[in-house]
C-alpha cells in the first residue's frame, strides 16, 4: 500500500469534485447576492442531486483508474482510496460552506430580521454554518432517509440517501466496478454489468443456472435465495468457500471486490 499515493490521488480528485459542485454554486450565490429561494431555481436545476452523484462517481472512478497504475495493488487499497476520497470531499465541502458563509456576511452584509415562532421557518439563505459532524453526515442522514422512504414510499427520500459525499454511493460504485471486472475476466460483455436485469442474466449464464431464475431474482427478499446459489458457484470457481458465497449475497460490494479487484489475498 502506497499511502502517499493514495492521499495524493484522493486529495486531487475530491478537490475537483468539490470545485465542480459546492464551490460553483456558492460562487453563483455570492456574485448575485442570492437572498430568496426563488432566485436559486436555475442553479438548483443544473446542480441538482443527480448532477452531484454523477460528478462524485466520476471522480471516484478516476481515482481508481489512477491508483490502478501502481503495481501490487489490492482490494483493501481501493477501500482506503474510497475512504480518503469520501472524507476529503466532506472536509472540502465543509470548508467551502464555512468560508462562503463568512464571505457573504462580509461582502453583502445581509439584512437580518428578528423573526420568532413560525416566522423563523420563512427564513432562507443559501449559506450554512454547518457543524463538523461526521456521524450526522454519513450515518444519521442516510438512515433517516431510508426510514422516511419506507414510511412514505416517496422516491425523493430515496434519492436523499445518496446525497454525496456518501459511503453509499461509493459502495454502489465498488460493486458495479467489481461486476464489470468479473464480466471482463469471464469474457462477457462488460457493459452488461451496468444494466439491471442484463447483469443478472449474464451471471446466470456464467454459472450455468436456468435463465428463468431471473424471475425470482427480481423479487425483493426472495432474490437472496437464487443469488446465493449463483454466488456459491462463483465462489467455488475462484477458490472460495460457502461462507464467502454468503458474504457475496448480503455484502456484494465487499466480497465481489475481493475476488476481482487487484489481489484477492
Amino acid at each position: 500500500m502506497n499511502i502517499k499515493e493514495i492521499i495524493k490521488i484522493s486529495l486531487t480528485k475530491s478537490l475537483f469534485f468539490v470545485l465542480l459542485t459546492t464551490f460553483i454554486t456558492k460562487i453563483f450565490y455570492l456574485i448575485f447576492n442570492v437572498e430568496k429561494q426563488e432566485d436559486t431555481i436555475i442553479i438548483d436545476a443544473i446542480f441538482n442531486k443527480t448532477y452531484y452523484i454523477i460528478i462524485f462517481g466520476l471522480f471516484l472512478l478516476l481515482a481508481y483508474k489512477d491508483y490502478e497504475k501502481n503495481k501490487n495493488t489490492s482490494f483493501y487499497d481501493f477501500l482506503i482510496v474510497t475512504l480518503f476520497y469520501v472524507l476529503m470531499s466532506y472536509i472540502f465541502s465543509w470548508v467551502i460552506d464555512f468560508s462562503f458563509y463568512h464571505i457573504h456576511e462580509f461582502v453583502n452584509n445581509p439584512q437580518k430580521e428578528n423573526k420568532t415562532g413560525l416566522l423563523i421557518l420563512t427564513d432562507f439563505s443559501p449559506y450554512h454554518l454547518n457543524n463538523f459532524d461526521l456521524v450526522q453526515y454519513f450515518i444519521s442522514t442516510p438512515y433517516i432517509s431510508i426510514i422516511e422512504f419506507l414510511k412514505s414510499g416517496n422516491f425523493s427520500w430515496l434519492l436523499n440517501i445518496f446525497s454525496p459525499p456518501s459511503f453509499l454511493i461509493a459502495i454502489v460504485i465498488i460493486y458495479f466496478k467489481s461486476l464489470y471486472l468479473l464480466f471482463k475476466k469471464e469474457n462477457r460483455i462488460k457493459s452488461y454489468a451496468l444494466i439491471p436485469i442484463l447483469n443478472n442474466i449474464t451471471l446466470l449464464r456464467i454459472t450455468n443456472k436456468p435463465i428463468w431464475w431471473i424471475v425470482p431474482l427480481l423479487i425483493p427478499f426472495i432474490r437472496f435465495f437464487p443469488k446465493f446459489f449463483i454466488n456459491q458457484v462463483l465462489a467455488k470457481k475462484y477458490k472460495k468457500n460457502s461462507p464467502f458465497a454468503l458474504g457475496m449475497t448480503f455484502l456484494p460490494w465487499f466480497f465481489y471486490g475481493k475476488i476481482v479487484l487487484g489481489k484477492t489475498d
Side-chain angles (χ1 to χ4, degrees), residues 40-59:
T40 70
I41 292 176
I42 296 176
I43 195 70
D44 288 344
I46 298 172
F47 298 100
N48 54 33
K49 290 174 183 176
T50 303
Y51 171 81
Y52 271 66
I53 290 171
I54 292 172
I55 299 299
F56 180 89
L58 174 63
F59 280 103

Side-chain angles (χ1 to χ4, degrees), residues 32 86 98 111 127 133-134 163 177-178 189 230 233 258:
F32 294 98
V86 171
F98 182 86
Q111 294 182 352
Y127 306 95
D133 189 349
L134 293 170
S163 298
K177 179 176 175 61
S178 302
I189 299 175
I230 290 170
V233 174
K258 279 182 66 67

Side-chain angles (χ1 to χ4, degrees), residues 18 34 42 94 134 136 149 160 196 202 211 215 225-226 248 258:
V18 173
V34 174
I42 296 176
W94 180 84
L134 293 170
Q136 171 67 26
F149 166 68
N160 285 334
T202 304
I211 296 299
V215 176
F225 293 100
M248 291 173 68
K258 279 182 66 67

Side-chain angles (χ1 to χ4, degrees), residues 20 156 185 199 224 239 264:
L20 289 175
S156 63
K185 279 188 175 184
N199 51 22
F224 288 121
K239 300 179 181 179
T264 57

Side-chain angles (χ1 to χ4, degrees), residues 2 6 10 21 25 36 93 100 121 137-138 154 156 175-176 193 201 213 222 253 256 264:
N2 189 338
I6 287 175
S10 302
T21 52
T25 57
K36 298 179 181 179
S93 294
F100 272 86
L121 299 177
Y137 202 76
F138 291 120
N154 187 337
S156 63
Y175 170 69
F176 282 108
I201 290 175
W213 278 24
I222 292 177
W253 67 272
Y256 271 77
T264 57

Side-chain angles (χ1 to χ4, degrees), residues 26 90 93-103 105 112 125-133:
K26 298 298 182 183
Y90 171 74
S93 294
W94 180 84
V95 169
I96 288 175
D97 283 341
F98 182 86
S99 301
F100 272 86
Y101 176 85
H102 290 288
I103 293 172
E105 294 282 312
K112 296 183 179 179
S125 174
Y127 306 95
H128 305 284
L129 193 60
N130 293 328
N131 292 322
F132 194 75
D133 189 349

Side-chain angles (χ1 to χ4, degrees), residues 79-110:
L79 290 183
I80 299 299
V81 169
T82 305
L83 176 64
F84 272 87
Y85 172 79
V86 171
L87 288 177
M88 288 177 181
S89 297
Y90 171 74
I91 291 170
F92 283 138
S93 294
W94 180 84
V95 169
I96 288 175
D97 283 341
F98 182 86
S99 301
F100 272 86
Y101 176 85
H102 290 288
I103 293 172
H104 174 61
E105 294 282 312
F106 178 76
V107 174
N108 294 323
N109 191 23

Side-chain angles (χ1 to χ4, degrees), residues 175-236:
Y175 170 69
F176 282 108
K177 179 176 175 61
S178 302
L179 209 57
Y180 181 90
L181 293 176
L182 175 66
F183 287 6
K184 182 179 179 181
K185 279 188 175 184
E186 298 291 335
N187 295 317
R188 305 287 172 165
I189 299 175
K190 301 185 290 293
S191 59
Y192 282 5
L194 310 176
I195 304 174
I197 301 179
L198 274 179
N199 51 22
N200 279 321
I201 290 175
T202 304
L203 285 172
L204 289 171
R205 287 173 175 165
I206 290 173
T207 55
N208 295 316
K209 297 297 182 183
I211 296 299
W212 66 264
W213 278 24
I214 191 61
V215 176
L217 280 170
L218 297 176
I219 304 174
F221 302 111
I222 292 177
R223 70 187 305 272
F224 288 121
F225 293 100
K227 200 74 173 179
F228 172 74
F229 291 110
I230 290 170
N231 292 331
Q232 200 172 34
V233 174
L234 285 172
K236 185 176 180 181

